[in-house]
């Protein structure tokens, strides 16, 4: 039987960071990837990564601290995230940012994004990031990647340690052994109707956008061996996609984080738009007919960011997904809401934010505690029909800060590690943008380090 130090299941960001880290430590590694290419949901993502105290922030004149990042993660997560994981993220996030840069991952821009008190969204091109890590893997003779090789089962030895993996290749079932551990990095289950219906029936109306191979096989394999599954109750979609969006053409715009508002088919706001777009998503799905529109004016339009996955409103216009008109009357007509109600909604909102806080939902900032909303008053006006998409499933196996998968008694399941979207416990009840890719990189590396019993110096 083929035997390696480590077997890694899945080649997204978590698996690739783990493979490079373990390979550079001299471990023999087999990474099994179900698809014929790397990347999973990672390469579909907007590429935001949440780090604090970086040179990019310093150059932009932004003061930030690890404590503030950790506080935001806990506050947005409703205080139900595992504090041990948050602390570990805080401890290793900056070292991980430098490690990624040292390994050729290019950071491009810095943006204010959901859930952060300061601009902390460091963008990468996720394709470039995965390719940079793949280039490094190809230089490491001790790391093998096998494509079209879905893992099917985890096998235990007589001492109750997971030490083998059953996978399929070219129609055959093959068993491989790992002496130091098996790492699950197989992503979430955004493409599993079975698991979504089981865990999150309230998301039935949401679009599905996620890695093609992400159907929760890793989760099920760990579940079979008694892994605890956390955060099912917090599964939520992401708001801000045009109803025509899909994995290939995502058409997302978050004008509300630059000062837009969101109204329903009755022309009424229904939430504080500065909240996490996960919470906005839950509320949007409950609106009449599930239809909502982002509304903004030229002041917001002027803040569009070219080539940014979340803020390139001009691209949405070029795709003919926006209504652009000169008066609110015409706007109401376009989206078929009562004109007097829409005018009243906007007048109340404008008056409120100009007086410090708007009375209906208490909006005070653009995103979580950051930025000052501006009145919607400068023509032309824009409307973008928006809905919710299930992108990433932040419910998954319980892990400790070493990446060991835990059973119902919080005891490690010997030999089994997990990192990335297959894990739960990190985000809690709400998601902070960039913290998923961030956690993949931080915990992917930490898990294999722990399996190899080597520390990372920070
Ligand atoms: C449209 C979109 C935008 C997003 N934007 C952001 C963002 O800006 N910032 C952020 O932090 N997060 C974002 N996310 C979430 C984030 O991209 C994911 O949570 C993260 O990339 C997951 O990485 P991963 O390595 O855990 O899994 P993935 O990248 O999904 O990789 C898992 C891999 O495992 C493989 N696999 C699955 N099952 C098996 C099996 N049985 N055997 C072998 N291989 C298997 C899959 O094929 C896949 O290649 C976004 C997600 C989407 C879909």
């Amino acid at each position: 039987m083929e035997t390696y130090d480590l077997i890694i299941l899945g080649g997204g960001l978590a698996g690739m960071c783990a493979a490079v880290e373990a390979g550079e430590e001299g471990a023999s590694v087999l990474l099994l990837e179900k698809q014929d290419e790397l990347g999973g949901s990672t390469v579909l993502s907007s590429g935001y990564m949440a780090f604090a105290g970086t040179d990019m922030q310093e150059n932009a004149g932004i003061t930030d601290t690890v404590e503030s990042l950790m506080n935001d993660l806990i506050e947005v997560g409703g205080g139900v995230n595992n504090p041990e994981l948050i602390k570990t993220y805080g401890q290793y996030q900056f070292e991980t940012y430098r490690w990624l840069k040292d390994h050729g991952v290019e950071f491009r821009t810095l943006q204010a994004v959901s859930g952060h008190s300061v601009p902390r969204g460091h963008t990468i091109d996720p394709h470039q990031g995965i390719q940079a890590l793949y280039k490094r893997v190809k230089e490491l003779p001790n790391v093998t990647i096998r494509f079209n090789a879905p893992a099917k089962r985890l096998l235990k030895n007589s001492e109750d340690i997971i030490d083998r993996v059953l996978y399929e290749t070219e129609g055959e079932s093959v068993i491989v052994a790992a002496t130091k551990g098996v790492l699950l990095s197989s992503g979430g289950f955004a493409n599993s109707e079975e698991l979504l219906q089981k865990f999150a029936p309230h998301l039935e109306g949401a679009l599905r956008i996620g890695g093609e191979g992400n159907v929760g096989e890793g989760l099920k394999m760990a579940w079979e061996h008694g892994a605890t599954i956390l955060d099912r109750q917090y599964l939520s979609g992401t708001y801000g996609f045009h109803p025509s969006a899909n994995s290939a053409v995502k058409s997302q715009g978050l004008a509300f984080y630059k000062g837009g508002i969101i109204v329903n088919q009755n022309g009424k706001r229904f939430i504080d738009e500065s909240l996490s777009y996960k919470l906005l998503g839950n509320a949007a799905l409950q609106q009449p007919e599930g239809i909502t529109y982002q509304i903004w004016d030229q002041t917001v339009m002027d803040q569009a960011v070219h080539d940014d996955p979340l803020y390139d409103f001009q691209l949405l216009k070029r795709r003919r997904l926006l209504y652009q008109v000169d008066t609110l009357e015409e706007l109401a007509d376009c989206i078929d809401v009562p004109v007097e109600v829409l005018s009243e909604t906007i007048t109340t909102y404008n008056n409120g934010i100009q007086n410090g806080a708007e009375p209906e939902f208490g909006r005070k900032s653009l995103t979580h505690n950051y930025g000052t909303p501006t009145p919607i008053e400068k023509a032309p006006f824009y409307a973008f029909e928006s809905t919710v998409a299930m992108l990433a499933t932040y419910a998954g196996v319980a892990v400790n800060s070493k990446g060991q998968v835990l059973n119902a008694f919080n005891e490690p399941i010997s030999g089994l590690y997990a990192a990335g979207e297959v894990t739960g416990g990190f985000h809690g009840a709400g998601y902070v943008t960039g913290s998923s890719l961030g956690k993949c990189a931080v915990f992917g590396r930490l898990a294999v380090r722990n399996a190899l019993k080597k520390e990372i110096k920070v």
Side-chain angles (χ1 to χ4, degrees):
M1 190 188 318
E2 271 187 77
T3 302
Y4 297 83
D5 290 330
L6 287 169
I7 300 177
I8 298 173
L9 306 183
L13 186 64
M16 289 304 286
C17 288
V20 171
E21 182 73 42
E24 290 182 346
E25 280 304 317
S28 62
V29 179
L30 174 66
L31 186 151
L32 298 174
E33 170 51 54
K34 176 183 173 182
Q35 303 294 116
D36 57 7
E37 59 184 3
L38 298 167
S41 283
T42 300
V43 293
L44 298 180
S45 80
S46 305
Y48 283 97
M49 299 192 76
F51 298 119
T54 64
D55 48 352
M56 289 174 75
Q57 288 179 310
E58 199 181 312
N59 293 341
I62 291 153
T63 309
D64 196 9
T65 61
V66 179
E67 289 68 36
S68 165
L69 168 59
M70 286 163 52
N71 285 344
D72 284 347
L73 286 166
I74 292 169
E75 200 178 310
V76 175
V80 292
N81 3 30
N82 178 345
E84 185 193 338
L85 299 181
I86 301 298
K87 195 170 152 214
T88 307
Y89 187 80
Q91 193 178 351
Y92 289 98
Q93 55 92 28
F94 183 65
E95 192 275 342
T96 301
Y97 167 73
R98 280 195 317 216
W99 183 91
L100 290 166
K101 280 175 70 153
D102 289 347
H103 285 79
V105 178
E106 293 165 12
F107 287 88
R108 306 188 307 171
T109 61
L110 181 69
Q111 298 291 337
V113 276
S114 175
H116 294 283
S117 307
V118 296
R120 219 180 255 142
H122 297 69
T123 60
I124 60 168
D125 168 351
H127 286 276
Q128 188 279 330
I130 289 289
Q131 285 312 313
L133 297 171
Y134 188 32
K135 182 167 171 264
R136 180 66 184 128
V137 160
K138 287 195 274 193
E139 293 164 357
L140 296 166
N142 45 329
V143 181
T144 303
I145 296 186
R146 211 156 278 166
F147 290 96
N148 298 310
K152 294 290 171 187
R153 284 290 202 280
L154 305 170
L155 306 175
K156 275 183 172 172
N157 65 17
S158 56
E159 288 162 31
D160 225 22
I161 298 171
I162 288 180
D163 68 344
R164 281 155 300 144
V165 174
L166 172 79
Y167 75 99
E168 282 180 0
T169 179
E170 296 175 350
E172 303 275 316
S173 291
V174 180
I175 296 178
V176 272
T179 56
K180 295 190 173 150
V182 175
L183 174 74
L184 288 174
S185 50
S186 47
F189 51 91
N191 274 325
S192 167
E193 284 310 314
E194 178 208 347
L195 290 178
L196 286 175
Q197 272 171 29
K198 198 176 276 178
F199 296 158
H202 61 289
L203 292 171
E204 197 179 354
L207 306 174
R208 291 358 184 178
I209 300 180
E212 203 180 320
N214 292 28
V215 292
E217 288 162 338
L219 186 85
K220 285 185 180 173
M221 284 186 263
W223 199 354
E224 183 184 33
H225 290 285
T228 296
I229 300 182
L230 297 175
D231 297 344
R232 281 179 275 193
Q233 67 274 40
Y234 305 126
L235 277 164
S236 48
T238 297
Y239 182 74
F241 289 85
H242 192 264
S244 67
N246 55 46
S247 294
V249 185
K250 291 193 282 292
S251 297
Q252 187 181 16
L254 306 188
F256 48 90
Y257 287 150
K258 296 283 185 190
I261 58 167
I262 306 171
V263 300
N264 62 20
Q265 194 67 76
N266 298 332
K268 289 189 178 281
R269 290 174 65 232
F270 51 89
I271 196 161
D272 169 358
E273 294 86 349
S274 73
L275 292 174
S276 158
Y277 46 30
K278 298 278 183 188
L279 299 177
L280 302 182
N282 290 344
L285 284 175
Q286 286 162 20
Q287 297 312 303
E289 318 287 336
I291 294 174
T292 68
Y293 296 91
Q294 296 181 48
I295 304 280
W296 67 91
D297 71 351
Q298 191 57 36
T299 304
V300 172
M301 194 65 174
D302 288 342
Q303 294 173 63
V305 182
H306 176 64
D307 212 16
D308 183 277
L310 305 183
Y311 299 126
D312 194 347
F313 314 136
Q314 295 292 352
L315 176 66
L316 301 176
K317 185 174 156 184
R318 289 198 296 282
R319 287 187 183 158
R320 302 188 190 286
L321 300 176
L322 297 186
Y323 295 104
Q324 176 183 338
V325 287
D326 287 328
T327 64
L328 290 179
E329 288 71 24
E330 289 170 284
L331 199 69
D333 204 21
C334 287
I335 63 175
D336 201 16
V337 303
V339 61
E340 62 288 356
V341 182
L342 184 66
S343 298
E344 169 72 20
T345 296
I346 292 177
T347 305
T348 309
Y349 175 78
N350 286 349
N351 290 341
I353 54 155
Q354 280 167 328
N355 294 329
E358 57 83 17
E360 281 185 297
F361 302 98
R363 182 176 195 178
K364 293 196 188 88
S365 60
L366 292 177
T367 71
H368 185 72
N369 302 332
Y370 176 76
T372 309
T374 48
I376 296 172
E377 59 186 11
K378 187 175 169 196
F381 300 99
Y382 301 85
F384 175 56
E385 186 175 352
S386 300
T387 188
V388 179
M390 194 62 221
L391 302 181
T393 47
Y394 298 135
V397 298
V399 284
N400 61 20
S401 59
K402 295 181 171 168
Q404 293 172 297
V405 178
L406 306 176
N407 68 17
F409 298 101
N410 272 338
E411 297 157 349
I413 298 173
S414 295
L416 187 58
Y417 297 80
E421 201 181 310
V422 71
T423 63
F426 181 76
H427 304 288
Y431 163 72
V432 165
T433 298
S435 59
S436 187
L437 291 176
K439 101 184 156 181
C440 287
V442 167
F443 291 100
R445 296 178 58 220
L446 274 179
V448 296
R449 280 277 182 157
N450 284 311
L452 298 173
K453 310 239 175 313
K454 298 193 171 161
E455 279 187 25
I456 295 181
K457 289 201 184 73
V458 286

